[in-house]
Amino acid sequence: MTEQTQAVENSSRFGGTSVSQIFLGIFGHFIVKRFLFFIFVVWLASTVIFIIPRLSGQDPVKEKLLLEAQRGGAMQTGLDAMAKKYQKRFGLDQPMWVQYTNFLKDLARLDLGVSIAFFPRTVNEIVFESLMWTLGLMGTVTVIAFILGTLAGAVLGWPRRPGWVQYVFMPLLTLAAIPQYLLAMILIFIFAFKLGWLPLFGGYSVATLPELSFSFVIDVLRHAVLPAFAILFSVVGFWAIGMRGMMINTQGEDYMIQADAKGLKGSRIFMRYAVRNALLPQVTGLALVLGTIVTGQVLVERVFSYPGIGDILFQAIRLSDFFVIRGIVIVIILGIAGATFLLDVLYPLLDPRIKVRS
Amino acid sequence: MTESVTTPDSSAPMESGGWSQFNEERVRPIKRYALRNPSLIWGLALMSFLLLFVGIGHLVWDTEQFRPLSTPTRLAPTLSHEMMKSGEPTGEVRAFPFGTDTAGRDLLAVAILGTPLTLRIGLIAGFVSIAFGTLAAFVAAYYRGWIDAAIRSVVDVGLAMPGLLILILIRINIGRELTVDEMGFALGLVGWVFPARTIRSQVLVMREAAYVELSRLSGTSGMGIIFKEMLPNLIPYITASLVGSVAGAILASIGLEAIGLGNFSTPTLGMTIFFNIQFSSITLGMWWWWLPPLVAIVIVFLGLFLISSGLDEWSNPRLRKRV
């Protein structure tokens, strides 16, 4: 955060009128700095993604065609001509730097290319269709887990909590040590297979058509319950452990002793003095674990055959559809970098000390 | 822990005082510490239990049966299974305490072989990532300047890219199955950024400490300060992050394998999970297929989690007074 205080300082110091000073003022501002960093991350990540296939010296299009030829058997002849045609179609016959600038141009327009396995369909179509499922599930679960976990951790780190709390929550915290997809398997076995309360897999029943009706919504929700809980259980533990540590750290602080000495009510000290101060590092934590939440969910979706990003990724890997895999990786990195940028921008609003210090 | 310091006059405790003095000076402080730090002890106990299972298993069981078609298929756990050959009982009775799967693997052999393989991936990846991370952290935090800026931006970008996805891309482009060691190494190369970041911040605090300042004034070189003054003081912290890295790498390796990018000829825990998902063992009701790898993974993670929180207490004395 020191960078940010410095940035705020700079912008106030360069508050003059000359063009160069305004220029400095704008680029010294931490939001602009953060945005430039966001662009830098996306650029570097996409460059890495561009380089990796070139390093291995393999041609994904030709590989795919060879695979198809082996399966089909009939179209062995003219394979090279076909590969050439495809290479032209995907621009793979041009010099490296042309390919690179084309790749960046396409990326800037958010055009992720065309799928090899489902040929006429674009990667954008495929990815965004499944992204709705993933975001719907993950967004809700992350918010619920953050609130529940933070509350549980706050109570656990509070010295005047009732004694039974520890015995209820502590076993829950150990769930954080269990990978989400294993929890998913246990939940499927108990609630879908043994008890039969909830569906075994999928995002909606096979027999129904996706439409905006009451019964379909209920169907979708029923399918979302188990994946949601699989993610929820393990993520709640993560938040609770972090929050508990922060709450314990606030105990020795001067403002806590002062609040106590003033004779404030316990609930007020708890919410306004302890929780409020312990909450801030949790927000930073959110930025750090976003990546693990996303990849965790990708695997949970695989276990449930949930029609989100994870399932599409698995299908694409199975069919060795390189462009879809690349598109998914880019979308996820964009999402994580964007969310981190937003959190960075919002952080000074939550923590007034960052501005006061300048 | 002052009790554990040997006094100068008893330079050879084993000879002068025998077992009782050794017990007094070495074992008792460990015991006392163990009582105060139960999570470390429970974690170590869980891991030793797993290693014991693996060790005894290797001694008493025929582990070659992990290969497909070496046993009858879809057998529930049984201690006396009469072997059949073309519909006729052969009279031979064999035990399959963990049952067999759809492809005819003995699941006990799979469990015995798979657990250490998965741990091996984790350990290789953990050591590689901690080695790289520590090196980068020390170089960045000690020398500062442009080298720090460069390392920091690489780390920041690395944190924004989930390692699992990068590994998927690499694996797809290599186009062949990775061996266990290669996968561990690849995971380590992707996973060094997080330890690099946390260790760097520790070094930043430490380089302002008085003893480092003193060492610098008395003319110790930069590398000398790093290796003689700073590194020994950070060992507890680095050990704690090593455990975290191992757990993270195991998680990522199982993820990679579960999504179908593992090595199909090695029976790691992740591959067993993959076959479970692929052949939907849960809907087939073959609980004996998915339960052992699941229990093994849970024990590994719980053990590593307890060890790391125990080490946390060791490395961060502020935590000792409370809780």
Side-chain angles (χ1 to χ4, degrees):
Chain A
M1 290 303 124
T2 48
E3 217 172 284
Q4 295 181 359
T5 49
Q6 224 174 4
V8 174
E9 218 174 309
N10 280 347
S11 62
S12 58
R13 200 185 297 151
F14 295 114
T17 43
S18 90
V19 178
S20 67
Q21 279 172 346
I22 291 172
F23 184 79
L24 267 175
I26 291 171
F27 281 90
H29 197 271
F30 88 93
I31 292 185
V32 179
K33 264 190 173 172
R34 281 281 135 197
F35 185 70
L36 288 179
F37 182 71
F38 164 70
I39 299 290
F40 176 69
V41 168
V42 173
W43 170 74
L44 207 64
S46 37
T47 306
V48 169
I49 290 165
F50 177 82
I51 290 172
I52 288 174
R54 270 84 189 169
L55 278 184
S56 66
Q58 291 204 341
D59 182 345
V61 177
K62 205 167 178 179
E63 290 276 306
K64 177 66 193 161
L65 285 176
L66 266 172
L67 206 71
E68 289 292 319
Q70 275 163 3
R71 278 193 196 138
M75 35 184 250
Q76 295 284 355
T77 49
L79 198 66
D80 273 340
M82 210 168 154
K84 278 226 174 65
K85 202 176 161 195
Y86 269 84
Q87 280 183 339
K88 200 162 186 149
R89 172 77 186 73
F90 293 116
L92 292 173
D93 54 345
Q94 271 155 0
M96 194 69 90
W97 64 272
V98 178
Q99 286 184 38
Y100 182 60
T101 44
N102 280 343
F103 171 67
L104 287 186
K105 263 188 229 159
D106 283 349
L107 207 61
R109 286 187 282 116
L110 285 179
D111 179 2
L112 299 172
V114 187
S115 159
I116 304 179
F118 314 97
F119 175 63
R121 297 189 71 197
T122 63
V123 176
N124 285 34
E125 273 173 37
I126 297 172
V127 169
F128 281 98
E129 200 173 279
S130 55
L131 201 61
M132 290 300 120
W133 289 95
T134 297
L135 281 182
L137 181 63
M138 190 179 66
T140 344
V141 172
T142 307
V143 171
I144 295 174
F146 184 79
I147 295 171
L148 275 183
T150 306
L151 275 179
V155 174
L156 275 172
W158 186 241
R160 278 170 267 176
R161 61 170 187 262
W164 54 266
V165 171
Q166 190 143 6
Y167 300 102
V168 176
F169 281 114
M170 272 310 185
L172 266 181
L173 295 198
T174 50
L175 287 177
I178 302 172
Q180 298 165 6
Y181 41 89
L182 297 186
L183 221 51
M185 289 173 75
I186 300 172
L187 287 179
I188 293 180
F189 179 71
I190 298 174
F191 294 102
F193 181 70
K194 276 281 165 198
L195 300 175
W197 291 350
L198 291 159
L200 277 161
F201 63 88
Y204 49 88
S205 301
V206 185
T208 55
L209 282 170
E211 52 178 0
L212 209 66
S213 69
F214 182 70
S215 61
F216 182 70
V217 170
I218 291 294
D219 190 44
V220 167
L221 285 180
R222 270 171 55 85
H223 280 80
V225 169
L226 282 184
F229 270 97
I231 303 167
L232 197 67
F233 273 133
S234 57
V235 183
V236 161
F238 174 83
W239 294 122
I241 289 169
M243 186 65 181
R244 177 170 162 273
M246 294 319 298
M247 284 294 282
I248 289 173
N249 275 347
T250 61
Q251 295 311 317
E253 297 284 348
D254 292 341
Y255 56 79
M256 293 295 289
I257 299 168
Q258 193 220 11
D260 224 10
K262 280 204 294 194
L264 293 177
K265 264 191 299 180
S267 60
R268 195 178 162 83
I269 301 178
F270 176 72
M271 282 310 284
R272 292 294 180 89
Y273 286 76
V275 171
R276 212 175 157 184
N277 282 296
L279 207 54
L280 283 168
Q282 291 284 91
V283 181
T284 331
L286 187 62
L288 277 177
V289 297
L290 263 173
T292 46
I293 295 178
V294 174
T295 45
Q297 162 141 16
V298 163
L299 296 168
V300 170
E301 281 176 6
R302 167 80 192 99
V303 174
F304 281 98
S305 311
Y306 200 76
I309 288 280
D311 200 47
I312 289 291
L313 184 64
F314 174 71
Q315 301 290 347
I317 288 173
R318 211 166 49 93
L319 300 166
S320 55
D321 190 341
F322 177 72
F323 291 98
V324 171
I325 299 171
R326 194 182 72 179
I328 290 172
V329 173
I330 290 174
V331 165
I332 291 179
I333 288 175
L334 261 181
I336 292 172
T340 315
F341 167 66
L342 273 182
L343 282 172
D344 271 344
V345 171
L346 291 178
Y347 200 80
L349 299 179
L350 297 174
D351 189 354
R353 278 173 297 187
I354 284 173
K355 273 177 205 151
V356 173
R357 235 182 263 148
S358 72
Chain B
M1 297 283 282
T2 44
E3 295 88 344
S4 66
V5 177
T6 2
T7 43
D9 53 313
S10 65
S11 52
M14 288 300 283
E15 281 166 28
S16 63
W19 167 251
S20 65
Q21 188 174 355
F22 180 74
N23 186 38
E24 188 66 31
E25 286 181 0
R26 301 279 163 172
V27 181
R28 284 245 328 252
I30 294 176
K31 270 188 199 156
R32 198 172 309 150
Y33 186 69
L35 285 177
R36 213 180 54 201
N37 196 343
S39 58
L40 184 64
I41 297 309
W42 275 109
L44 288 174
L46 278 177
M47 293 308 276
S48 334
F49 166 74
L50 212 57
L51 292 181
L52 211 65
F53 165 76
V54 170
I56 294 176
H58 270 282
L59 291 178
V60 303
W61 200 252
D62 174 20
T63 48
E64 274 303 300
Q65 295 185 74
F66 81 88
R67 295 180 197 286
L69 300 176
S70 55
T71 61
T73 59
R74 296 192 188 189
L75 269 187
T78 164
L79 286 176
S80 55
H81 174 74
E82 210 161 314
M83 299 295 280
M84 307 280 269
K85 197 170 188 184
S86 50
E88 296 288 311
T90 55
E92 189 191 356
V93 175
R94 281 165 69 185
F96 298 105
F98 278 40
T100 65
D101 70 4
T102 319
R105 299 180 188 86
D106 174 24
L107 290 170
L108 179 56
V110 169
I112 292 169
L113 285 180
T115 312
L117 278 175
T118 297
L119 288 176
R120 186 190 170 102
I121 296 179
L123 282 175
I124 292 175
F127 275 105
V128 169
S129 58
I130 287 296
F132 275 97
T134 313
L135 189 71
F138 272 103
V139 169
Y142 187 78
Y143 290 106
R144 303 305 302 270
W146 65 270
I147 198 164
D148 183 27
I151 290 177
R152 214 178 50 214
S153 42
V154 170
V155 166
D156 281 350
V157 173
L159 283 175
M161 293 193 278
L164 192 67
L165 295 179
I166 302 299
L167 282 174
I168 288 174
L169 276 184
I170 294 174
R171 167 62 182 75
I172 288 292
N173 282 292
I174 288 177
R176 65 176 174 85
E177 288 165 14
L178 296 175
T179 64
V180 164
D181 292 357
E182 282 170 342
M183 186 183 270
F185 204 74
L187 284 166
L189 288 184
V190 177
W192 64 275
V193 285
F194 194 73
R197 183 183 211 159
T198 51
I199 295 171
R200 177 182 165 273
S201 61
Q202 295 284 320
V203 179
L204 274 183
V205 176
M206 190 174 278
R207 80 192 284 275
E208 306 300 328
Y211 62 89
V212 173
E213 197 70 25
L214 186 72
S215 180
R216 198 178 297 138
L217 283 175
S218 48
T220 317
S221 66
M223 280 294 152
I225 292 178
I226 289 178
F227 284 107
K228 287 192 195 133
E229 306 285 340
M230 290 173 150
L231 203 55
N233 281 299
L234 273 180
I235 291 286
Y237 190 82
I238 292 174
T239 319
S241 16
L242 173 70
V243 177
S245 289
V246 171
I250 291 178
L251 185 69
S253 82
I254 296 172
L256 212 54
E257 288 166 334
I259 211 154
L261 291 174
N263 191 322
F264 283 75
S265 54
T266 49
T268 58
L269 297 178
M271 283 320 289
T272 317
I273 296 284
F274 169 77
F275 288 125
N276 269 293
I277 301 174
Q278 194 71 353
F279 295 100
S280 46
S281 63
I282 295 177
T283 22
L284 289 174
M286 293 167 74
W287 54 268
W288 61 90
W289 192 357
W290 56 264
L291 199 62
L294 206 120
V295 169
I297 293 169
V298 168
I299 290 179
V300 167
F301 276 101
L302 218 55
L304 289 177
F305 173 72
L306 288 173
I307 290 177
S308 87
S309 59
L311 286 176
D312 242 8
E313 204 231 49
W314 178 42
S315 69
N316 186 1
R318 280 188 68 177
L319 289 173
R320 279 187 203 161
K321 285 174 263 163
R322 289 120 181 200
V323 180

